[in-house]
């Protein structure tokens, strides 16, 4: 089977890898809790690696970046990205 879809890496690049946490104000699912629920890195090509904290910890890679991650886990603003690295410009 041939895969036709290609990622557009030129859009949304960042200067260097940046660390962040996902900060959740409301736990819509009742699973992950509130506060800093996951740790992540946005790589220079826009890809995001995310490590969930807690009892059911897992690691996920988002090839389509923060927009895709927040579309699934942002819960309409209940979860936000809090940047840890202020020395890496966007």
């Amino acid at each position: 089977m041939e895969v036709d879809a290609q990622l557009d890496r030129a859009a949304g690049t960042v200067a260097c890898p940046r660390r962040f946490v996902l900060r959740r104000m409301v736990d819509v699912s009742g699973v992950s809790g509130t506060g800093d629920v996951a740790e992540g890195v946005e790589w220079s090509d826009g890809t995001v690696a995310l490590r969930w904290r807690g009892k059911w910890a897992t690691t996920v890679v988002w090839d389509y970046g923060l927009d895709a991650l927040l579309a699934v886990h942002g819960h309409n603003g209940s979860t936000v990205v809090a940047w840890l690295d202020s020395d890496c410009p966007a």
Side-chain angles (χ1 to χ4, degrees), residues 7-16 18 42-48 62-67 83 89-90:
L7 299 178
D8 182 6
R9 299 287 188 200
T13 59
V14 295
C16 63
R18 299 188 296 168
E42 181 185 37
W43 301 103
S44 61
D45 68 355
T47 301
V48 170
W62 293 86
D63 291 328
Y64 291 99
L66 285 174
D67 289 341
W83 296 105

Side-chain angles (χ1 to χ4, degrees), residues 21-47:
V21 292
L22 278 188
R23 191 160 291 152
R24 185 161 282 167
M25 281 62 79
V26 177
D27 183 8
V28 175
S29 68
V31 175
S32 57
T34 58
D36 294 346
V37 295
E39 305 161 356
V41 175
E42 181 185 37
W43 301 103
S44 61
D45 68 355
T47 301

